[in-house]
Amino acid sequence: QVQLQESGPGLVKPSETLSLTCAVSGSSINGYFWSWVRQPPGKGLEWIGRIHYRGDTKYNPSLKSRVVISIDMSKNQLSLKLTSVTAADTAVYYCAREHTSSSGDWFDPWGQGTLVTVSS
Amino acid sequence: DVLMIQSPPSLSASVGDRVTITCRASEFISTFVNWYQQRLGQAPKLLIYGASTLQSGVPSRFSANRSGTDFTLTISGLQPEDFATYYCQQTYSNPFTFGPGTKVDFK
Protein backbone atom coordinates (compact mmCIF):
# COMPACT_ATOMS: atom_id res chain seq x y z
CA GLN A 1 0.00 0.00 0.00
CA VAL A 2 1.41 3.34 -1.03
CA GLN A 3 1.76 5.85 1.77
CA LEU A 4 2.97 9.43 1.72
CA GLN A 5 4.01 11.28 4.87
CA GLU A 6 4.71 15.00 4.97
CA SER A 7 6.96 16.44 7.63
CA GLY A 8 8.60 19.70 8.57
CA PRO A 9 8.36 22.68 10.91
CA GLY A 10 4.84 23.62 11.90
CA LEU A 11 5.78 27.26 12.45
CA VAL A 12 7.77 29.49 10.13
CA LYS A 13 8.54 33.16 10.59
CA PRO A 14 7.52 35.71 7.95
CA SER A 15 10.14 36.27 5.24
CA GLU A 16 11.80 32.93 6.00
CA THR A 17 11.78 29.70 3.97
CA LEU A 18 9.24 26.93 4.42
CA SER A 19 10.82 23.50 3.96
CA LEU A 20 8.86 20.25 3.86
CA THR A 21 9.62 16.69 2.92
CA CYS A 22 7.32 13.93 1.73
CA ALA A 23 8.48 10.40 2.48
CA VAL A 24 7.10 7.77 0.11
CA SER A 25 6.66 4.16 1.18
CA GLY A 26 5.17 1.21 -0.65
CA SER A 27 6.14 2.67 -4.01
CA SER A 28 9.29 3.78 -5.72
CA ILE A 29 9.48 7.38 -6.81
CA ASN A 30 10.54 6.00 -10.19
CA GLY A 31 8.02 6.26 -12.95
CA TYR A 32 5.73 8.89 -11.50
CA PHE A 33 5.09 12.57 -11.19
CA TRP A 34 4.69 13.92 -7.67
CA SER A 35 2.76 17.03 -6.73
CA TRP A 36 2.37 19.42 -3.84
CA VAL A 37 -1.02 20.95 -3.02
CA ARG A 38 -1.92 23.31 -0.22
CA GLN A 39 -5.12 24.30 1.57
CA PRO A 40 -5.42 27.40 3.75
CA PRO A 41 -7.54 26.80 6.85
CA GLY A 42 -11.21 26.65 5.91
CA LYS A 43 -10.49 27.26 2.22
CA GLY A 44 -10.04 25.36 -1.02
CA LEU A 45 -7.18 23.54 -2.68
CA GLU A 46 -4.30 25.15 -4.57
CA TRP A 47 -1.84 23.20 -6.69
CA ILE A 48 1.74 24.30 -6.01
CA GLY A 49 3.72 22.29 -8.52
CA ARG A 50 4.96 18.89 -9.62
CA ILE A 51 8.16 17.02 -10.25
CA HIS A 52 8.91 14.06 -12.47
CA TYR A 53 11.12 11.34 -11.05
CA ARG A 54 13.73 12.36 -13.62
CA GLY A 55 13.73 15.85 -12.13
CA ASP A 56 11.60 17.87 -14.56
CA THR A 57 9.47 20.38 -12.71
CA LYS A 58 6.40 22.48 -13.38
CA TYR A 59 5.17 25.16 -11.01
CA ASN A 60 2.05 27.21 -10.52
CA PRO A 61 2.94 30.57 -12.10
CA SER A 62 1.51 32.34 -9.06
CA LEU A 63 4.22 30.76 -6.89
CA LYS A 64 6.95 30.00 -9.40
CA SER A 65 9.35 32.71 -8.25
CA ARG A 66 9.36 31.32 -4.70
CA VAL A 67 9.05 27.54 -5.09
CA VAL A 68 11.52 24.74 -5.57
CA ILE A 69 10.48 21.08 -5.63
CA SER A 70 13.18 18.43 -5.61
CA ILE A 71 13.57 14.67 -5.38
CA ASP A 72 15.97 12.53 -3.37
CA MET A 73 15.94 9.13 -5.02
CA SER A 74 18.23 7.61 -2.38
CA LYS A 75 15.69 8.43 0.34
CA ASN A 76 12.60 7.91 -1.84
CA GLN A 77 11.29 11.30 -0.90
CA LEU A 78 10.49 14.68 -2.36
CA SER A 79 10.90 18.12 -0.92
CA LEU A 80 9.24 21.51 -1.12
CA LYS A 81 10.88 24.84 -0.45
CA LEU A 82 8.89 28.07 -0.44
CA THR A 83 10.82 31.24 0.15
CA SER A 84 9.85 34.65 1.54
CA VAL A 85 6.72 33.34 3.22
CA THR A 86 3.91 35.53 4.52
CA ALA A 87 0.77 34.82 6.51
CA ALA A 88 -0.95 34.02 3.22
CA ASP A 89 1.20 30.89 3.00
CA THR A 90 -0.35 29.46 6.16
CA ALA A 91 -1.96 26.22 5.03
CA VAL A 92 -2.07 22.46 5.23
CA TYR A 93 0.46 21.18 2.72
CA TYR A 94 -0.17 17.87 0.97
CA CYS A 95 1.98 15.75 -1.30
CA ALA A 96 0.38 13.39 -3.77
CA ARG A 97 1.37 10.83 -6.38
CA GLU A 98 0.29 11.82 -9.85
CA HIS A 99 -0.89 9.37 -12.47
CA THR A 100 -0.77 10.34 -16.11
CA SER A 101 -2.67 9.01 -19.10
CA SER A 102 -4.13 10.10 -22.40
CA SER A 103 -7.35 11.06 -20.62
CA GLY A 104 -5.68 13.18 -17.99
CA ASP A 105 -3.64 13.30 -14.84
CA TRP A 106 -4.97 12.55 -11.40
CA PHE A 107 -3.69 12.55 -7.82
CA ASP A 108 -3.77 9.36 -5.78
CA PRO A 109 -2.90 8.77 -3.03
CA TRP A 110 -2.40 11.88 -0.95
CA GLY A 111 -0.43 12.28 2.22
CA GLN A 112 -2.28 13.17 5.41
CA GLY A 113 -1.03 16.76 5.17
CA THR A 114 0.94 18.95 7.51
CA LEU A 115 -0.14 22.34 8.84
CA VAL A 116 2.37 25.13 8.46
CA THR A 117 1.65 28.41 10.19
CA VAL A 118 3.52 31.57 9.23
CA SER A 119 3.78 33.83 12.23
CA SER A 120 6.38 35.75 14.19
CA ASP B 1 -5.77 29.97 -15.69
CA VAL B 2 -8.68 27.62 -16.29
CA LEU B 3 -11.50 28.58 -13.94
CA MET B 4 -13.58 25.74 -12.55
CA ILE B 5 -16.99 27.13 -11.65
CA GLN B 6 -18.47 24.69 -9.17
CA SER B 7 -22.06 24.67 -7.99
CA PRO B 8 -23.75 24.68 -5.63
CA PRO B 9 -21.32 25.89 -2.93
CA SER B 10 -23.25 23.82 -0.44
CA LEU B 11 -26.30 21.62 -0.26
CA SER B 12 -28.32 19.89 2.41
CA ALA B 13 -29.49 16.38 1.80
CA SER B 14 -30.76 13.26 3.51
CA VAL B 15 -29.53 9.70 3.50
CA GLY B 16 -30.78 8.04 0.36
CA ASP B 17 -31.04 11.23 -1.69
CA ARG B 18 -29.62 11.63 -5.17
CA VAL B 19 -27.14 14.51 -5.26
CA THR B 20 -25.63 16.23 -8.29
CA ILE B 21 -22.68 18.62 -8.26
CA THR B 22 -21.60 20.52 -11.34
CA CYS B 23 -18.33 22.05 -12.52
CA ARG B 24 -18.16 24.26 -15.58
CA ALA B 25 -14.74 24.93 -17.04
CA SER B 26 -13.94 28.38 -18.42
CA GLU B 27 -12.42 26.81 -21.54
CA PHE B 28 -11.97 23.48 -23.31
CA ILE B 29 -10.29 20.91 -21.05
CA SER B 30 -11.17 17.64 -22.81
CA THR B 31 -11.76 14.88 -20.25
CA PHE B 32 -9.02 16.08 -17.90
CA VAL B 33 -11.28 16.41 -14.88
CA ASN B 34 -11.10 14.62 -11.58
CA TRP B 35 -13.39 14.57 -8.56
CA TYR B 36 -12.22 14.33 -4.96
CA GLN B 37 -14.00 13.86 -1.66
CA GLN B 38 -12.64 15.51 1.46
CA ARG B 39 -14.02 14.59 4.84
CA LEU B 40 -13.46 16.96 7.72
CA GLY B 41 -9.86 16.88 8.89
CA GLN B 42 -8.77 14.44 6.21
CA ALA B 43 -6.85 14.60 2.97
CA PRO B 44 -8.74 14.62 -0.33
CA LYS B 45 -9.61 11.20 -1.72
CA LEU B 46 -9.84 10.48 -5.44
CA LEU B 47 -13.30 9.39 -6.59
CA ILE B 48 -13.37 9.87 -10.35
CA TYR B 49 -10.65 10.51 -12.94
CA GLY B 50 -10.71 11.22 -16.65
CA ALA B 51 -14.14 12.85 -16.24
CA SER B 52 -16.02 9.58 -15.77
CA THR B 53 -13.81 6.68 -14.63
CA LEU B 54 -14.53 5.40 -11.16
CA GLN B 55 -11.41 4.93 -9.07
CA SER B 56 -10.88 1.39 -7.84
CA GLY B 57 -12.51 0.80 -4.48
CA VAL B 58 -14.94 3.72 -4.75
CA PRO B 59 -18.60 2.69 -4.36
CA SER B 60 -20.64 2.51 -7.55
CA ARG B 61 -23.17 5.03 -6.21
CA PHE B 62 -20.65 7.63 -7.37
CA SER B 63 -20.75 8.46 -11.07
CA ALA B 64 -19.71 11.34 -13.27
CA ASN B 65 -19.93 12.52 -16.82
CA ARG B 66 -19.04 15.29 -19.21
CA SER B 67 -20.93 17.41 -21.69
CA GLY B 68 -18.61 19.81 -23.43
CA THR B 69 -17.12 21.96 -20.70
CA ASP B 70 -19.73 20.90 -18.13
CA PHE B 71 -18.86 18.12 -15.71
CA THR B 72 -21.18 16.51 -13.18
CA LEU B 73 -20.69 14.28 -10.18
CA THR B 74 -23.72 12.30 -9.02
CA ILE B 75 -24.17 10.39 -5.80
CA SER B 76 -27.09 7.99 -6.14
CA GLY B 77 -28.31 7.09 -2.69
CA LEU B 78 -26.38 9.28 -0.28
CA GLN B 79 -24.83 7.39 2.63
CA PRO B 80 -23.82 8.81 6.03
CA GLU B 81 -20.13 8.62 5.11
CA ASP B 82 -20.74 10.77 2.02
CA PHE B 83 -21.32 13.94 3.97
CA ALA B 84 -18.17 15.81 3.01
CA THR B 85 -16.81 18.47 0.68
CA TYR B 86 -16.34 17.60 -2.99
CA TYR B 87 -13.86 19.22 -5.35
CA CYS B 88 -13.44 19.06 -9.09
CA GLN B 89 -9.98 19.51 -10.60
CA GLN B 90 -8.72 20.14 -14.11
CA THR B 91 -5.31 18.87 -15.21
CA TYR B 92 -5.50 20.00 -18.83
CA SER B 93 -3.35 23.07 -18.46
CA ASN B 94 -0.87 24.66 -16.10
CA PRO B 95 -1.70 25.57 -13.45
CA PHE B 96 -3.86 22.65 -12.46
CA THR B 97 -6.88 24.22 -10.77
CA PHE B 98 -9.61 23.08 -8.43
CA GLY B 99 -13.18 24.18 -8.08
CA PRO B 100 -14.02 25.98 -4.83
CA GLY B 101 -15.78 22.93 -3.44
CA THR B 102 -19.31 21.79 -2.62
CA LYS B 103 -20.10 21.00 0.99
CA VAL B 104 -22.73 18.30 1.41
CA ASP B 105 -24.31 18.29 4.85
CA PHE B 106 -27.35 16.88 6.66
CA LYS B 107 -30.70 18.38 5.92
Side-chain angles (χ1 to χ4, degrees), chain A residues 9-78:
Chain A
L11 182 64
V12 180
K13 290 182 168 57
S15 80
E16 295 190 344
T17 296
L18 179 160
S19 296
L20 298 174
T21 59
C22 172
V24 179
S25 59
S27 167
S28 171
I29 281 193
N30 280 338
Y32 291 97
F33 285 92
W34 302 85
S35 271
W36 286 95
V37 176
R38 68 181 183 178
Q39 184 173 37
K43 297 188 178 180
L45 301 163
E46 179 183 33
W47 177 73
I48 298 170
R50 75 196 292 202
I51 186 166
H52 188 247
Y53 72 102
R54 291 179 178 168
D56 297 336
T57 55
K58 186 177 290 186
Y59 300 123
N60 189 323
S62 69
L63 298 168
K64 186 175 182 179
S65 64
R66 299 194 291 130
V67 172
V68 174
I69 297 174
S70 59
I71 272 186
D72 187 332
M73 299 285 284
S74 66
K75 295 182 179 179
N76 214 47
Q77 67 183 31
L78 58 152

Side-chain angles (χ1 to χ4, degrees), chain B residues 55-82:
Chain B
Q55 168 69 347
S56 175
V58 174
S60 59
R61 62 180 179 273
F62 291 92
S63 63
N65 57 49
R66 167 208 179 199
S67 176
T69 57
D70 291 341
F71 300 85
T72 58
L73 172 71
T74 299
I75 311 172
S76 301
L78 201 66
Q79 296 299 299
E81 61 268 30
D82 301 335

Side-chain angles (χ1 to χ4, degrees), chain A residues 47 50 98 105 107, chain B residues 89-98:
Chain A
W47 177 73
R50 75 196 292 202
E98 188 175 328
D105 298 0
F107 296 176
Chain B
Q89 176 201 33
Q90 69 82 21
T91 57
Y92 187 76
S93 67
N94 181 20
F96 297 162
T97 48
F98 293 86

